[in-house]
Amino acid sequence: MAQLHILLGLLALLLSVVVSVNGSLCRIPIQRSPNFKRTRAAAKAEMFYIAKKYNLNVATNSTGVEQLSNYDNFQYYGSINIGTPGQNFQVQFDTGSSNLWIPSSQCTSSSCMVHTRYSSYQSSTYKSNGSIFNITYGTGSVSGFMSQDVVSVAGLVIRNQTFGEVTSESGSNFLNASFDGILGLAFPMLAVNLVTPFFQNLISQKVVQQPVFSFYLRNNGTTVTYGGELILGGSDPKLYRGKLTYVPVSYPAYWQFYTDSIQMGNTLISTGDAAIADTGTSLLVAPQAEYTQIAKIFNADSDGVFACGKISKWPTMYIKINGVSFQITPEYYIIQEGYYCALAIQPASQDFWILGDVFLGRYYTEFDVGNQRLGFAPVNAANTLGQSGVLGLLMVLAVYKMFFH
Ligand SMILES: *[C@@H]1O[C@H](CO)[C@@H](O)[C@H](O)[C@H]1NC(C)=O
Ligand SMILES: *[C@@H]1O[C@H](CO)[C@@H](O)[C@H](O)[C@H]1NC(C)=O
Ligand SMILES: *[C@@H]1O[C@H](CO)[C@@H](O)[C@H](O)[C@H]1NC(C)=O
Ligand SMILES: *[C@@H]1O[C@H](CO)[C@@H](O)[C@H](O)[C@H]1NC(C)=O
Ligand SMILES: *[C@@H]1O[C@H](CO)[C@@H](O)[C@H](O)[C@H]1NC(C)=O
Ligand SMILES: *[C@@H]1O[C@H](CO)[C@@H](O)[C@H](O)[C@H]1NC(C)=O
């Protein structure tokens, strides 16, 4: 009996530790798509998707583009509920856009049929809106009408959220995506139809204490589907090393800021370039002139392909932000396919960089809406909540064994 009490005491202690870690932070587990592959073809397909998303021109040697599908690039997603009772959806949490959309029960496109669809008539909190929307992505588009309902995420409830019910998905962009829709986390300025974005409603309805969210993404090449966490209401210092380096948002539409400089080894590529943190992109996208300089270092052809040899002989990339150098070692920005390699860095016609998972998977990122700033710090890959939970369980089991055997 005494042993049982000790065991229960230890369990309570463990639970209190977990709860205090949680504090006022709301954690949403992020899944990693089992389909995700970093390949040269996937990088090309993604560039067409990114170009449409950012309304850019890419050098289009578009032979076979229609056959390329982007779904291999959709790495991270998580779970939300819409309506009463809640209907569950998997969504991509995208800091590069500002609308929430999911397939409608009225949609019979094949992309909708293979995903979960929202039924307004099954929700007692549904309110109609009816405004039309149309968003173009890559080789297709999603269109439909707006609706309003309750959205809940990991126990947080947001009322009166206006979102897109997709009635038609053309193209195959999302056909094989592991998620049903997209939840945009960029600023209101980008929102189609001037809809108040999810996080702005979360702030005005005082659902979180601090107007801050943060991403811990794991992209270290394991096949584990636990992909990290989206944290609403703040940051968890256990998930990163050292202090966050802050930088002001330079223009609150995308999560845009100025870098001090970008270097490849000793070669200076740029000073004072703008960059965007985009959790909905997997690659790094460089302005054309900067990309040309980088391609020269690798002697890469027009497709970014080069003979690579040993990956570790290539230089480390340094992105300096507010005086601190953030490194990306070659195994993260090079895609190896046998003898040949390609860069996970692609060119486009814009004058800013787009930092996708190649960067965000190495650096914990705090999106501070209240102070309009971003914070970056190296991820603490060794100390995740999931792992400490498992560790705690093992501890309890060990204690149990000690006392009962
Ligand atoms: C376009 O790509 C194809 C296949 O990769 C290649 O054979 C062709 O030379 C390229 N064309 C241009 C104009 O770069
Ligand atoms: C949405 O926009 C795209 C590109 O402008 C167009 O091809 C498509 O027909 C539009 N769809 C609807 C339903 O308006
Ligand atoms: C939601 O909208 C209704 C009116 O449609 C309003 O009465 C209610 O206060 C709103 N709730 C929130 C949390 O904004
Ligand atoms: C994509 O999804 C469709 C419909 O579910 C399926 O038939 C097809 O095999 C999938 N393609 C790939 C490459 O997974
Ligand atoms: C639909 O939503 C938009 C954006 O929130 C709003 O401006 C508009 O007034 C709404 N229309 C109706 C009929 O509720
Ligand atoms: C990847 O993650 C696993 C599990 O957390 C860890 O054991 C491994 O060291 C990590 N590898 C790299 C290269 O970060």
Side-chain angles (χ1 to χ4, degrees):
M1 248 6 231
Q3 287 99 324
L4 191 63
H5 278 133
I6 292 172
L7 183 65
L8 288 176
L10 274 170
L11 257 174
L13 189 73
L14 178 71
L15 278 177
S16 72
V17 167
V18 170
V19 169
S20 73
V21 164
N22 280 343
S24 62
L25 302 179
C26 170
R27 297 167 182 281
I28 298 143
I30 301 275
Q31 307 292 311
R32 267 186 97 213
S33 166
N35 292 335
F36 179 78
K37 283 189 214 97
R38 210 180 283 294
T39 62
R40 192 160 65 83
K44 267 189 125 177
E46 186 175 359
M47 271 322 291
F48 287 94
Y49 179 86
I50 294 173
K52 282 290 179 0
K53 180 172 173 181
Y54 285 89
N55 205 8
L56 308 171
N57 296 314
V58 272
T60 49
N61 180 353
S62 56
T63 343
V65 166
E66 289 299 327
Q67 288 93 304
L68 297 176
S69 156
N70 185 52
Y71 67 89
D72 280 353
N73 298 106
F74 294 131
Q75 186 164 199
Y76 301 109
Y77 57 95
S79 177
I80 65 167
N81 283 311
I82 304 183
T84 314
Q87 300 174 33
N88 187 250
F89 298 92
Q90 301 300 321
V91 292
Q92 180 190 59
F93 295 108
D94 176 25
T95 60
S97 68
S98 300
N99 286 83
L100 166 62
W101 64 257
I102 38 111
S104 168
S105 59
Q106 297 177 33
C107 181
T108 53
S109 310
S110 46
S111 292
C112 291
M113 296 307 281
V114 296
H115 287 109
T116 306
R117 297 176 298 157
Y118 168 76
S119 299
S120 57
Y121 60 89
Q122 286 177 347
S123 171
S124 62
T125 41
Y126 161 74
K127 289 179 200 134
S128 67
N129 175 294
S131 304
I132 300 299
F133 78 96
N134 184 0
I135 308 174
T136 309
Y137 288 103
T139 55
S141 68
V142 297
S143 57
F145 59 89
M146 301 297 209
S147 289
Q148 209 184 73
D149 211 329
V150 170
V151 174
S152 68
V153 205
L156 300 185
V157 176
I158 298 92
R159 295 183 201 286
N160 300 348
Q161 177 65 52
T162 302
F163 59 93
E165 269 196 60
V166 172
T167 54
S168 162
E169 280 195 42
S170 71
S172 59
N173 278 304
F174 302 107
L175 180 61
N176 293 75
S178 311
F179 54 80
D180 308 304
I182 292 182
L183 191 157
L185 290 164
F187 288 93
M189 207 182 284
L190 288 182
V192 169
N193 290 3
L194 301 174
V195 171
T196 305
F198 166 83
F199 199 74
Q200 276 64 29
N201 276 331
L202 206 96
I203 296 168
S204 67
Q205 295 178 20
K206 301 189 169 52
V207 178
V208 284
Q209 279 177 7
Q210 281 190 78
V212 173
F213 61 89
S214 52
F215 275 91
Y216 165 68
L217 300 175
R218 286 155 50 107
N219 75 349
N220 76 357
T222 64
T223 54
V224 182
T225 54
Y226 167 69
E229 287 176 39
L230 160 60
I231 297 180
L232 300 176
S235 287
D236 180 355
K238 282 204 165 56
L239 296 177
Y240 56 85
R241 287 183 280 122
K243 281 204 165 109
L244 292 166
T245 297
Y246 285 107
V247 62
V249 168
S250 50
Y251 184 70
Y254 295 109
W255 281 93
Q256 185 165 337
F257 62 97
Y258 286 109
T259 60
D260 297 346
S261 64
I262 296 180
Q263 271 180 240
M264 272 291 179
N266 294 323
T267 310
L268 182 66
I269 304 296
S270 68
T271 49
D273 270 2
I276 279 167
D278 182 0
T279 56
T281 289
S282 97
L283 304 169
L284 297 181
V285 182
Q288 186 63 56
E290 282 78 339
Y291 175 80
T292 304
Q293 282 193 67
I294 293 172
K296 214 182 277 168
I297 295 172
F298 296 86
N299 198 18
D301 70 11
S302 63
D303 278 339
V305 176
F306 59 103
C308 45
K310 232 176 136 189
I311 302 256
S312 58
K313 78 173 188 201
W314 296 103
T316 293
M317 184 177 189
Y318 300 96
I319 302 180
K320 201 181 205 181
I321 302 168
N322 202 1
V324 177
S325 199
F326 292 85
Q327 305 185 8
I328 306 175
T329 48
E331 70 263 33
Y332 292 108
Y333 72 73
I334 292 176
I335 301 165
Q336 184 155 28
E337 290 178 359
Y339 179 74
Y340 288 100
C341 281
L343 294 168
I345 307 169
Q346 294 284 317
S349 64
Q350 83 292 2
D351 59 3
F352 51 81
W353 293 71
I354 302 170
L355 307 181
D357 309 338
V358 170
F359 180 82
L360 300 173
R362 315 248 49 76
Y363 296 103
Y364 185 98
T365 307
E366 179 180 286
F367 297 80
D368 184 340
V369 179
N371 297 308
Q372 295 206 351
R373 62 179 185 173
L374 282 152
F376 300 104
V379 297
N380 190 357
N383 186 13
T384 70
L385 191 73
Q387 283 174 353
S388 63
V390 170
L391 204 70
L393 198 67
L394 287 176
M395 264 169 57
V396 169
L397 283 175
V399 171
Y400 182 86
K401 273 196 108 143
M402 236 166 70
F403 280 97
F404 292 93
H405 294 270

